[in-house]
Amino acid sequence: MKLLKLPQQRKRRFGFVDSFLWAVRIGALVFVVVGIFGIPGVAGGPEGSLFKTLSGEGVSGEAWRDLFISGLAQGSMYGMIALGYSLVYGVLGFINFAHGEVFMSGALVSFFAADAFATAGIWESQPVLALGFTILVAMATSTIVAVLTERIAYRRLRGSPRLIPLITSIGMSFFIRYTFRGLFGDSFKTYPAAPGVLEGRATIFGVEILKTQLTVIVVTAVSMVVLYQFVARTRMGRAMRAIAEDREIAALMGVNVDRVISLTFAVGGAMAGIAGVLWALLFRQVHFLTGFLPGIKGFTAAVVGGIGNMAGAYVGGLAIGLVESVGPLLVLDGWGIPAVSQLKDVVAFSALVLVLIYRPTGLLGERLSVEERG
Amino acid sequence: MSKKMKFRHLGVLVLVFALIAAACGDDDTADTTTAATTADTTADTTADTTADTTADTTMAPMAFPPEAGAWGGVLIAAGAPVEIRTLQAISESVAFLGVDQNRGTELALEDFGDVLGHPVNLGTAEDDLCLGEGGASGATAIAAQEGVLGVIGTTCSGAAFPAIPIFHAAGIVLISGSNTNATLTSDFQGNAGENWMNNYLRTAHNDLIQGAAAAIFAYDNLGLRKMGTIHDGDPYTSGLAGSFGLTFTELGGEIVVATSVAKEDTNMVPVLTEIAAGEPDGIYFPIFQPAGDFIVQQVGGISGLEDVQMYGADGLITPDHFSLPETEGVYYSGPDLGFDANAGFTGETYTNLVARYEAAYGELPTAAFHAHTYDATMMLLFAIESVAVEGPDGELWVDRLALRDFLYNISDFAGVTGTLTCDEFGDCGGNVVSVILNLDSDDPQAGIGNVVFRAGKGAGGEVVILPLG
Amino acid sequence: MNPLAATSQDSVRSAVKVGLLGGLGYIFVSAVGMVEGLGEKNVIDPILSLGYLMLIWVGLWAGHRAGAGALPGDGVSVVGRVWLGIVAGVTGGLLASAFLIWINTFVVREVFTNISPALIELLNLRQGLGTGVAVAIGGGALLGGAGAAIGTLTPLMRRALTGSFLWVLIVGFLEVILSQIFREIDLGVFLAFLIVGVTSWILLRNFGDSQRVLLGGLLAAFVVGVLVSQALSEVNLGLRFIPDFAYINRVGGRALTLSAAAIVFLVAFAATVLFDGRRRAMRARLAALEPAERQKWAFGLVGVFVGLGVFLPMILGSVVNELLSTTGLFLLMGLGLNIVIGYAGLLDLGYVAFFAVGAYTMAILTSTSTARNWAPELSFWEALPFVVLAAVVAGILVGTPVIRMRGDYLAIVTLGFGEIARILFLSEWFSGVTGGALGVTKIPPIELGFYTVKGTDTQAVLYLVLAFVALAAFVSYRLQDSRIGRSWMAMREDEEVAETMGVNIVKAKLLAFVMGAILAGVGGALFAVKFGTIFPASFSIIVSITVLVLIIVGGMGNIPGVAVGALVMIGILGGSNSSGLLREFAEFKLLIYGALMLYMMLNRPEGLLPSKRLARELHQEEAVQDAWLQGEIEQGEED
């Protein structure tokens, strides 16, 4: 009587799913390659975007460069946001939907600081001081919001089936978003233009970059390095890593789990706050809905890079930013699809699906605690 | 009987009775006639008793209230208010449009005053959510209330599509100060729009005119030959960009890239790069804030677009947008706002109106359509006043079909937006479109008033150029 | 002995904390704009505006919490509790006064846009800062004491008091709907209710054992009822004097008059008190029923629902019917998502994609618009099989790539698919088929042969939606106990074990996605017909989230729970794209959404109408504690 089929007895047939996935893998590769390089020798067929550039039409060389840098800048900010998602997921195992609003809160509140500086003239005369202080305000706000969400909502839900914290975080995100709307109104807050010292382009290694974009890339990179040092060298950082590895054992080793989890949220919040000011520097306008889409992209980036993995969050962010920026023109345009920029989110999410199909644990692999791995 | 059988029986029950009941379902039109007939019966008794006492009438005393027309009528008791409603987008991102229009309505109410001694009641302002669902639920809520004679709205054309039939079933007229979609009225060639119904009018312009006029300006006046267009996925902006493209191509120009962004996009480098690849002379981007803000702010940083002429539309004609330094030198098409010389129905000038707007609401008008809505409200109140029949005891009787007919026959109505004449498909607006140029971001109001081109609708539905100011 | 001395230090301290929270609540409600925004609407004319009501509620809550927070061992008397309530109220009032002083002195409107001069006027009761502060502190004390006092009443009294006040609020809020119902209710429906109700009662009482007689009798009653309702539908019952008396016209909308409010309150109060005994007796009797008897009552209950479904739309009026049909569409989607998440455990956050596929398929195939001349103009019924087919294909396309993915990856990928679907429907690329941003218009009404169901005919649309919902509920119910249903549940609990037990995981997952897709697709098709036009903006991610929240808040995994969730979230609060019954709150709808979700998840995660199993699972610790307290298990034993 064959009641049980033990795993080793099951033949791993090349089933429907596998053939579908392989079809997707190959199909995607073909699609991308044709989009970029075109089909040589086929009259009237798609002309790859690279082909178009080389023949003088299409996107120019400088434009590709600008797209690339813009993608890097955007991606760096996604990376900073992704960090919050990644850290929380690695430790607590759920998607903190409210993190996008943590980002927004920093950007929105620091506007008032920036505006005050601009009115007082300090924004132009002492840009480093003004910008630095604005970033501090954003960091403080985002950190407070993040820690509060943890204390009020998530602490009580540790150990609940994972759907519950997820819904709670969705509710929290709505609550924060519309509270901020109620408090600060729904008009757009326009940041002062970048201080004179950051206007125009700079030439780095022979490449011309907009100074604001350069600032974004540099500040995020520096923040990442500082964070890495913090986590690697300090005691609190070690405690964070311990909890991320195995919460129970860490508690037995004397780590104050509650406090360190709050710290994890705080760190994620601080990074999001920095991202908020950088975002405002690049795009100037913020309002209560600013956090919605970057939040989703942030989590996408965290998954793409490898969830729970700090470096993964950064890499994932850069990947999503680049794919979003360069992808439509590089791949879709080559196929003759009209209005490709409209499809940039399609490209970003398709990239997510493809990364997970090619490499199910994300680009740099996931890092989860023992509780979540099981 | 097993459980299975039992439930099957129940299922049959459900379906059968749902279908039967649906077959005998009440239609909404039944409701208005009931109201009319009950109104008739209560009014008749008073008419009878007073008929004998009215002696000094020069003509034979008429029965009050008169017999109701095909759409029924509304009897307003003495001292009771005249009921009209508003259905605008008053929440979320387009609130600046809807709230602005509601303010126009409120100002009109102030100016018009009472209708034959009866105050006018606006009731609760309904929200059309700028979506079909909002239009439908708002329209249903309004149609469920008693005695509503007309509705001012909707803000977004998308909300009007389901709202119009719902109002039509209840005999309520809908007048919009900002819908511009062509299929809601006509194509100006004598063909009714696909979605037109005879209870709908508007004082705003028709999309066909704006797109065409904008294109003529670009081609003839600015000498642009290669253009890129950007819309933002909204039916309005997409329709406008499309109609612009059509006319521009007809004139001999070339649309090198027609693309779009999403409303919440912030990074415009990719889309601008896509357009730059076509090497255009100009970019027409009839979108809304904040996307429009991002476009003007980021276009300067794209290689290849340093000298391109930027050209927006009325979604961006707000003081907010005009105070951005990057908007200097940018043209914007939109409904003509050169109303300063105009006086409305009650003689109120537009300049005065704006001053009162600011005094009452603490800010200057936030969008372009408050004046059109002011006129729409005026038209409605004027029509109600004109067709109302006064009763012997201070009641009022308004026949719905007579109201609609009067509105459709309005001609040479003095509005702050110009002289309004309604055509057979409900297009009452002056259909005057203008292009403005923002020169100084420190004085946005001056920019909003800086008209460099005006065009309107000719007799045959074509675009005719009008003198400035 | 001084009764006040009996209150411990701890109680006082916690009362102060509660008071501070209350004060924060006052500040929050004011700063977010609720007091001003809702200030126009008078709930009870002329004294109680909605804006003030929000503040009053904060005060009462604080008092109640403080009074109730006194430790039981305190032996705290009524006076003691009231004292605690007053303490809380005064503390909150002090905090509120500080806020008042601040906003009266400084102009903060630049930063906090809703702290306007109008708000300050309202908070100061139009008299000036002194009055404002006095009201804050004095009102705080009063409300705090009252709140605590309410807590000291017997449960029955408390329920009666709060319930009656709630009824007054409900009658006030639902003015438009109630007015319409009373104005339009006709003799036919009334008689129909009577006929069906009395017949069913008699039948159940006397012939409950004979299924055949029962069914036949009910059928006959229904037929007679429907005929009567149609025959006498023109005879108005003349009940319009009721709303005319109860409501008075005001600027913000009709408000309840004081006398009417008093009447409602007294009637509700009396009813609660008088029928309390009856209620408990009923409960006891039901609990003591034998299974056979219980089945009879269950059958009766279903019959009641069917009856309500047939007759209620005739009296509820167009506004409620329209709202209920939207609720029904979301309920349809909820049932589908319940299969995907509730039965099969697959966290799908991009459910709106299937909804969009169904809507667009129906729209494209049936539209008479000239924008799409190449498309056939099928009828609704001819197009429906294609809708199902499209949904199946969509389900397979979405389900296959995610089969091997883990829970939360599944979530974000499906979310991505949802967005991809929406953008593709919106795109220029496919605009030749889908109309791009301009959507698809001129979707014709449904022909039933003998009747045309137009989108504007709220009653007929509701019947149609209810019919499909009933079908979907039936299918869901059968799936639950079927073999595939049990495979899903096994898979949900532990995928590997299920696979070892012989469950074909691939087939199970795909089937779940496909079933969910079909239900959402049909919902989308009905959506397209109801509104006659569809625009891509209606298919955003927020719809997916709304459906998810509604099945969680209602109670996941069980069908009545999903229905309750739909009624509460969509019907009362208003869904993503529509406003519900509480139209006044429209501006704050999403804020309330968030707060409600937080409250539900933190206090009652199993949902409003949970399945017993889920409730026990989620409150495991408490269940064990309770069992221990009741001596059912010995200390040291584990459940």
Side-chain angles (χ1 to χ4, degrees), chain A residues 18 89 168 171 174 178-179 182-185 299 307 342 360 366, chain C residues 28 31 111-114 404 406 408-409 412 427-428 590 594 597 601:
Chain A
D18 292 293
Y89 193 90
T168 313
F174 274 118
Y178 290 95
T179 301
L183 288 176
F184 300 110
F299 186 68
I307 201 97
Q342 206 180 27
E366 53 187 24
Chain C
F28 179 81
V111 176
F112 297 105
T113 52
N114 277 314
R404 306 250 171 84
R406 230 190 40 223
D408 304 290
Y409 285 18
I412 193 72
S427 68
E428 295 289 307
L590 293 168
M597 274 194 260
M601 286 302 110

mmCIF file of all heavy atoms in Angstrom, chain A residues 18 89 168 171 174 178-179 182-185 299 307 342 360 366, chain C residues 28 31 111-114 404 406 408-409 412 427-428 590 594 597 601:
data_model
loop_
_atom_site.group_PDB
_atom_site.id
_atom_site.type_symbol
_atom_site.label_atom_id
_atom_site.label_comp_id
_atom_site.label_asym_id
_atom_site.label_seq_id
_atom_site.Cartn_x
_atom_site.Cartn_y
_atom_site.Cartn_z
ATOM 1 N N ASP A 18 9.005 23.874 -14.255
ATOM 2 C CA ASP A 18 10.394 24.017 -14.683
ATOM 3 C C ASP A 18 10.492 24.484 -16.120
ATOM 4 O O ASP A 18 11.306 25.352 -16.447
ATOM 5 C CB ASP A 18 11.130 22.681 -14.518
ATOM 6 C CG ASP A 18 11.291 22.337 -13.059
ATOM 7 O OD1 ASP A 18 12.040 23.079 -12.388
ATOM 8 O OD2 ASP A 18 10.665 21.372 -12.605
ATOM 9 N N TYR A 89 13.298 43.028 8.323
ATOM 10 C CA TYR A 89 12.905 41.688 7.873
ATOM 11 C C TYR A 89 13.854 40.635 8.395
ATOM 12 O O TYR A 89 13.439 39.554 8.794
ATOM 13 C CB TYR A 89 12.855 41.639 6.340
ATOM 14 C CG TYR A 89 12.155 40.404 5.846
ATOM 15 C CD1 TYR A 89 10.783 40.416 5.634
ATOM 16 C CD2 TYR A 89 12.851 39.225 5.620
ATOM 17 C CE1 TYR A 89 10.130 39.288 5.196
ATOM 18 C CE2 TYR A 89 12.198 38.091 5.187
ATOM 19 C CZ TYR A 89 10.837 38.129 4.978
ATOM 20 O OH TYR A 89 10.188 37.016 4.557
ATOM 21 N N THR A 168 -0.800 45.087 10.151
ATOM 22 C CA THR A 168 -0.564 46.184 11.089
ATOM 23 C C THR A 168 0.310 47.241 10.451
ATOM 24 O O THR A 168 0.055 48.435 10.591
ATOM 25 C CB THR A 168 0.117 45.673 12.361
ATOM 26 O OG1 THR A 168 -0.556 44.510 12.815
ATOM 27 C CG2 THR A 168 0.105 46.728 13.441
ATOM 28 N N GLY A 171 -1.686 49.251 8.077
ATOM 29 C CA GLY A 171 -2.505 50.203 8.816
ATOM 30 C C GLY A 171 -1.671 51.356 9.347
ATOM 31 O O GLY A 171 -2.059 52.526 9.272
ATOM 32 N N PHE A 174 -0.880 53.814 6.538
ATOM 33 C CA PHE A 174 -2.013 54.698 6.283
ATOM 34 C C PHE A 174 -2.115 55.755 7.366
ATOM 35 O O PHE A 174 -2.314 56.929 7.100
ATOM 36 C CB PHE A 174 -3.327 53.910 6.263
ATOM 37 C CG PHE A 174 -3.663 53.309 4.939
ATOM 38 C CD1 PHE A 174 -3.765 51.950 4.795
ATOM 39 C CD2 PHE A 174 -3.886 54.113 3.843
ATOM 40 C CE1 PHE A 174 -4.083 51.394 3.570
ATOM 41 C CE2 PHE A 174 -4.206 53.558 2.622
ATOM 42 C CZ PHE A 174 -4.302 52.191 2.483
ATOM 43 N N TYR A 178 -1.697 59.778 6.594
ATOM 44 C CA TYR A 178 -2.807 60.719 6.655
ATOM 45 C C TYR A 178 -2.774 61.606 7.888
ATOM 46 O O TYR A 178 -3.376 62.677 7.890
ATOM 47 C CB TYR A 178 -4.134 59.987 6.451
ATOM 48 C CG TYR A 178 -4.226 59.536 5.018
ATOM 49 C CD1 TYR A 178 -3.840 58.260 4.647
ATOM 50 C CD2 TYR A 178 -4.567 60.442 4.026
ATOM 51 C CE1 TYR A 178 -3.828 57.886 3.323
ATOM 52 C CE2 TYR A 178 -4.569 60.071 2.701
ATOM 53 C CZ TYR A 178 -4.194 58.795 2.361
ATOM 54 O OH TYR A 178 -4.173 58.430 1.042
ATOM 55 N N THR A 179 -2.066 61.195 8.917
ATOM 56 C CA THR A 179 -1.821 62.121 10.019
ATOM 57 C C THR A 179 -0.956 63.270 9.533
ATOM 58 O O THR A 179 -1.237 64.434 9.805
ATOM 59 C CB THR A 179 -1.112 61.412 11.181
ATOM 60 O OG1 THR A 179 -1.915 60.342 11.619
ATOM 61 C CG2 THR A 179 -0.860 62.364 12.318
ATOM 62 N N GLY A 182 -3.005 65.535 7.568
ATOM 63 C CA GLY A 182 -3.837 66.377 8.416
ATOM 64 C C GLY A 182 -3.032 67.481 9.073
ATOM 65 O O GLY A 182 -3.465 68.617 9.168
ATOM 66 N N LEU A 183 -1.819 67.141 9.528
ATOM 67 C CA LEU A 183 -1.026 68.138 10.234
ATOM 68 C C LEU A 183 -0.475 69.188 9.290
ATOM 69 O O LEU A 183 -0.505 70.376 9.575
ATOM 70 C CB LEU A 183 0.142 67.453 10.951
ATOM 71 C CG LEU A 183 -0.202 66.616 12.177
ATOM 72 C CD1 LEU A 183 1.044 65.932 12.691
ATOM 73 C CD2 LEU A 183 -0.789 67.511 13.263
ATOM 74 N N PHE A 184 0.066 68.740 8.166
ATOM 75 C CA PHE A 184 0.813 69.665 7.326
ATOM 76 C C PHE A 184 0.110 70.014 6.029
ATOM 77 O O PHE A 184 0.663 70.718 5.202
ATOM 78 C CB PHE A 184 2.199 69.081 7.014
ATOM 79 C CG PHE A 184 3.021 68.819 8.239
ATOM 80 C CD1 PHE A 184 3.285 67.532 8.655
ATOM 81 C CD2 PHE A 184 3.510 69.867 8.998
ATOM 82 C CE1 PHE A 184 4.024 67.287 9.800
ATOM 83 C CE2 PHE A 184 4.257 69.639 10.142
ATOM 84 C CZ PHE A 184 4.514 68.346 10.540
ATOM 85 N N GLY A 185 -1.094 69.534 5.831
ATOM 86 C CA GLY A 185 -1.804 69.895 4.622
ATOM 87 C C GLY A 185 -1.374 69.056 3.439
ATOM 88 O O GLY A 185 -0.420 68.295 3.515
ATOM 89 N N PHE A 299 11.448 48.137 -0.822
ATOM 90 C CA PHE A 299 11.367 46.728 -0.453
ATOM 91 C C PHE A 299 11.761 45.844 -1.624
ATOM 92 O O PHE A 299 12.400 44.808 -1.450
ATOM 93 C CB PHE A 299 9.977 46.362 0.062
ATOM 94 C CG PHE A 299 9.925 44.964 0.578
ATOM 95 C CD1 PHE A 299 10.608 44.618 1.734
ATOM 96 C CD2 PHE A 299 9.260 43.975 -0.103
ATOM 97 C CE1 PHE A 299 10.605 43.320 2.205
ATOM 98 C CE2 PHE A 299 9.246 42.676 0.366
ATOM 99 C CZ PHE A 299 9.925 42.342 1.516
ATOM 100 N N ILE A 307 17.576 39.707 1.061
ATOM 101 C CA ILE A 307 16.951 40.280 2.247
ATOM 102 C C ILE A 307 17.767 39.970 3.498
ATOM 103 O O ILE A 307 18.385 38.922 3.634
ATOM 104 C CB ILE A 307 15.497 39.766 2.363
ATOM 105 C CG1 ILE A 307 14.723 40.710 3.241
ATOM 106 C CG2 ILE A 307 15.438 38.364 2.922
ATOM 107 C CD1 ILE A 307 13.955 41.699 2.452
ATOM 108 N N GLN A 342 6.943 55.322 -19.832
ATOM 109 C CA GLN A 342 5.747 54.974 -19.074
ATOM 110 C C GLN A 342 5.903 53.618 -18.425
ATOM 111 O O GLN A 342 5.284 53.321 -17.409
ATOM 112 C CB GLN A 342 4.602 54.902 -20.074
ATOM 113 C CG GLN A 342 3.250 55.150 -19.538
ATOM 114 C CD GLN A 342 2.256 55.040 -20.668
ATOM 115 O OE1 GLN A 342 2.479 54.339 -21.639
ATOM 116 N NE2 GLN A 342 1.164 55.737 -20.534
ATOM 117 N N PRO A 360 16.995 32.780 -6.696
ATOM 118 C CA PRO A 360 15.873 32.904 -5.755
ATOM 119 C C PRO A 360 16.199 33.550 -4.417
ATOM 120 O O PRO A 360 15.281 33.967 -3.723
ATOM 121 C CB PRO A 360 15.424 31.447 -5.550
ATOM 122 C CG PRO A 360 15.911 30.726 -6.741
ATOM 123 C CD PRO A 360 17.178 31.393 -7.140
ATOM 124 N N GLU A 366 20.343 35.875 0.856
ATOM 125 C CA GLU A 366 19.609 36.399 1.989
ATOM 126 C C GLU A 366 20.282 36.012 3.289
ATOM 127 O O GLU A 366 21.051 35.074 3.363
ATOM 128 C CB GLU A 366 18.176 35.875 1.973
ATOM 129 C CG GLU A 366 18.079 34.370 1.861
ATOM 130 C CD GLU A 366 16.648 33.907 1.679
ATOM 131 O OE1 GLU A 366 15.825 34.704 1.206
ATOM 132 O OE2 GLU A 366 16.386 32.755 2.006
ATOM 133 N N PHE C 28 -4.458 65.960 18.839
ATOM 134 C CA PHE C 28 -4.422 65.272 17.555
ATOM 135 C C PHE C 28 -5.665 65.595 16.733
ATOM 136 O O PHE C 28 -5.585 65.995 15.574
ATOM 137 C CB PHE C 28 -4.319 63.764 17.799
ATOM 138 C CG PHE C 28 -4.294 62.949 16.552
ATOM 139 C CD1 PHE C 28 -3.121 62.792 15.840
ATOM 140 C CD2 PHE C 28 -5.445 62.337 16.085
ATOM 141 C CE1 PHE C 28 -3.095 62.030 14.683
ATOM 142 C CE2 PHE C 28 -5.421 61.585 14.932
ATOM 143 C CZ PHE C 28 -4.243 61.433 14.225
ATOM 144 N N ALA C 31 -5.524 69.210 15.598
ATOM 145 C CA ALA C 31 -4.473 69.579 14.654
ATOM 146 C C ALA C 31 -4.671 68.937 13.292
ATOM 147 O O ALA C 31 -4.272 69.486 12.272
ATOM 148 C CB ALA C 31 -3.105 69.199 15.216
ATOM 149 N N VAL C 111 3.074 76.191 9.460
ATOM 150 C CA VAL C 111 3.559 74.818 9.543
ATOM 151 C C VAL C 111 2.391 73.838 9.606
ATOM 152 O O VAL C 111 2.282 72.916 8.811
ATOM 153 C CB VAL C 111 4.466 74.642 10.775
ATOM 154 C CG1 VAL C 111 4.891 73.198 10.906
ATOM 155 C CG2 VAL C 111 5.662 75.546 10.660
ATOM 156 N N PHE C 112 1.500 74.066 10.575
ATOM 157 C CA PHE C 112 0.371 73.163 10.749
ATOM 158 C C PHE C 112 -0.852 73.781 10.092
ATOM 159 O O PHE C 112 -1.557 74.585 10.689
ATOM 160 C CB PHE C 112 0.120 72.911 12.234
ATOM 161 C CG PHE C 112 1.267 72.223 12.912
ATOM 162 C CD1 PHE C 112 2.121 72.914 13.743
ATOM 163 C CD2 PHE C 112 1.494 70.883 12.701
ATOM 164 C CE1 PHE C 112 3.187 72.283 14.360
ATOM 165 C CE2 PHE C 112 2.554 70.232 13.307
ATOM 166 C CZ PHE C 112 3.400 70.942 14.136
ATOM 167 N N THR C 113 -1.071 73.395 8.838
ATOM 168 C CA THR C 113 -2.051 74.112 8.030
ATOM 169 C C THR C 113 -3.470 74.029 8.547
ATOM 170 O O THR C 113 -4.298 74.849 8.187
ATOM 171 C CB THR C 113 -2.069 73.579 6.594
ATOM 172 O OG1 THR C 113 -2.229 72.157 6.642
ATOM 173 C CG2 THR C 113 -0.792 73.910 5.873
ATOM 174 N N ASN C 114 -3.781 73.046 9.386
ATOM 175 C CA ASN C 114 -5.169 72.952 9.816
ATOM 176 C C ASN C 114 -5.441 73.652 11.128
ATOM 177 O O ASN C 114 -6.565 73.637 11.618
ATOM 178 C CB ASN C 114 -5.597 71.486 9.901
ATOM 179 C CG ASN C 114 -6.008 70.970 8.537
ATOM 180 O OD1 ASN C 114 -6.739 71.638 7.823
ATOM 181 N ND2 ASN C 114 -5.523 69.808 8.173
ATOM 182 N N ARG C 404 7.674 28.444 -6.559
ATOM 183 C CA ARG C 404 8.763 28.042 -5.677
ATOM 184 C C ARG C 404 9.155 29.132 -4.704
ATOM 185 O O ARG C 404 10.060 28.945 -3.923
ATOM 186 C CB ARG C 404 9.988 27.650 -6.512
ATOM 187 C CG ARG C 404 9.675 26.599 -7.544
ATOM 188 C CD ARG C 404 10.303 25.258 -7.225
ATOM 189 N NE ARG C 404 9.810 24.236 -8.136
ATOM 190 C CZ ARG C 404 10.320 24.007 -9.345
ATOM 191 N NH1 ARG C 404 11.341 24.731 -9.764
ATOM 192 N NH2 ARG C 404 9.808 23.086 -10.114
ATOM 193 N N ARG C 406 9.099 31.849 -1.602
ATOM 194 C CA ARG C 406 8.675 31.849 -0.209
ATOM 195 C C ARG C 406 7.686 32.943 0.052
ATOM 196 O O ARG C 406 7.638 33.922 -0.671
ATOM 197 C CB ARG C 406 9.895 32.025 0.679
ATOM 198 C CG ARG C 406 9.940 30.992 1.775
ATOM 199 C CD ARG C 406 10.999 31.324 2.780
ATOM 200 N NE ARG C 406 11.041 32.738 3.038
ATOM 201 C CZ ARG C 406 12.178 33.404 3.126
ATOM 202 N NH1 ARG C 406 13.315 32.772 2.928
ATOM 203 N NH2 ARG C 406 12.179 34.685 3.398
ATOM 204 N N ASP C 408 6.965 35.811 1.741
ATOM 205 C CA ASP C 408 6.987 37.255 1.557
ATOM 206 C C ASP C 408 7.530 37.657 0.204
ATOM 207 O O ASP C 408 7.182 38.713 -0.315
ATOM 208 C CB ASP C 408 7.808 37.887 2.672
ATOM 209 C CG ASP C 408 7.260 37.475 4.010
ATOM 210 O OD1 ASP C 408 6.158 37.927 4.343
ATOM 211 O OD2 ASP C 408 7.915 36.687 4.704
ATOM 212 N N TYR C 409 8.371 36.836 -0.391
ATOM 213 C CA TYR C 409 8.808 37.107 -1.753
ATOM 214 C C TYR C 409 7.603 37.035 -2.666
ATOM 215 O O TYR C 409 7.428 37.841 -3.575
ATOM 216 C CB TYR C 409 9.842 36.067 -2.200
ATOM 217 C CG TYR C 409 11.201 36.265 -1.590
ATOM 218 C CD1 TYR C 409 11.373 37.052 -0.460
ATOM 219 C CD2 TYR C 409 12.314 35.655 -2.135
ATOM 220 C CE1 TYR C 409 12.613 37.221 0.087
ATOM 221 C CE2 TYR C 409 13.558 35.821 -1.593
ATOM 222 C CZ TYR C 409 13.704 36.602 -0.472
ATOM 223 O OH TYR C 409 14.934 36.756 0.073
ATOM 224 N N ILE C 412 5.718 40.373 -2.533
ATOM 225 C CA ILE C 412 6.212 41.514 -3.288
ATOM 226 C C ILE C 412 6.167 41.243 -4.791
ATOM 227 O O ILE C 412 5.920 42.148 -5.589
ATOM 228 C CB ILE C 412 7.644 41.911 -2.818
ATOM 229 C CG1 ILE C 412 8.011 43.266 -3.375
ATOM 230 C CG2 ILE C 412 8.676 40.914 -3.212
ATOM 231 C CD1 ILE C 412 7.273 44.412 -2.720
ATOM 232 N N SER C 427 -0.901 51.681 -20.778
ATOM 233 C CA SER C 427 0.201 52.094 -21.640
ATOM 234 C C SER C 427 -0.233 52.456 -23.051
ATOM 235 O O SER C 427 -1.265 52.013 -23.546
ATOM 236 C CB SER C 427 1.224 50.968 -21.717
ATOM 237 O OG SER C 427 0.659 49.881 -22.419
ATOM 238 N N GLU C 428 0.611 53.250 -23.687
ATOM 239 C CA GLU C 428 0.413 53.595 -25.098
ATOM 240 C C GLU C 428 0.561 52.346 -25.940
ATOM 241 O O GLU C 428 -0.103 52.170 -26.955
ATOM 242 C CB GLU C 428 1.485 54.593 -25.545
ATOM 243 C CG GLU C 428 1.422 55.919 -24.866
ATOM 244 C CD GLU C 428 0.240 56.718 -25.319
ATOM 245 O OE1 GLU C 428 0.059 56.897 -26.535
ATOM 246 O OE2 GLU C 428 -0.530 57.154 -24.450
ATOM 247 N N LEU C 590 -9.185 57.505 5.072
ATOM 248 C CA LEU C 590 -8.011 56.650 5.098
ATOM 249 C C LEU C 590 -7.289 56.709 6.439
ATOM 250 O O LEU C 590 -6.645 55.743 6.844
ATOM 251 C CB LEU C 590 -7.083 57.018 3.933
ATOM 252 C CG LEU C 590 -7.719 56.669 2.589
ATOM 253 C CD1 LEU C 590 -6.948 57.280 1.437
ATOM 254 C CD2 LEU C 590 -7.783 55.167 2.407
ATOM 255 N N GLY C 594 -6.563 53.394 8.671
ATOM 256 C CA GLY C 594 -5.312 53.010 9.322
ATOM 257 C C GLY C 594 -5.517 52.746 10.800
ATOM 258 O O GLY C 594 -5.073 51.724 11.335
ATOM 259 N N MET C 597 -7.369 49.492 11.324
ATOM 260 C CA MET C 597 -6.526 48.329 11.092
ATOM 261 C C MET C 597 -5.615 48.088 12.288
ATOM 262 O O MET C 597 -5.456 46.959 12.748
ATOM 263 C CB MET C 597 -5.675 48.545 9.837
ATOM 264 C CG MET C 597 -6.365 48.142 8.571
ATOM 265 S SD MET C 597 -5.156 48.065 7.257
ATOM 266 C CE MET C 597 -5.452 49.621 6.465
ATOM 267 N N MET C 601 -5.820 44.741 14.571
ATOM 268 C CA MET C 601 -4.693 43.823 14.597
ATOM 269 C C MET C 601 -4.103 43.684 15.983
ATOM 270 O O MET C 601 -3.646 42.613 16.373
ATOM 271 C CB MET C 601 -3.620 44.286 13.617
ATOM 272 C CG MET C 601 -3.990 44.050 12.176
ATOM 273 S SD MET C 601 -4.324 42.333 11.830
ATOM 274 C CE MET C 601 -6.085 42.385 11.555
#
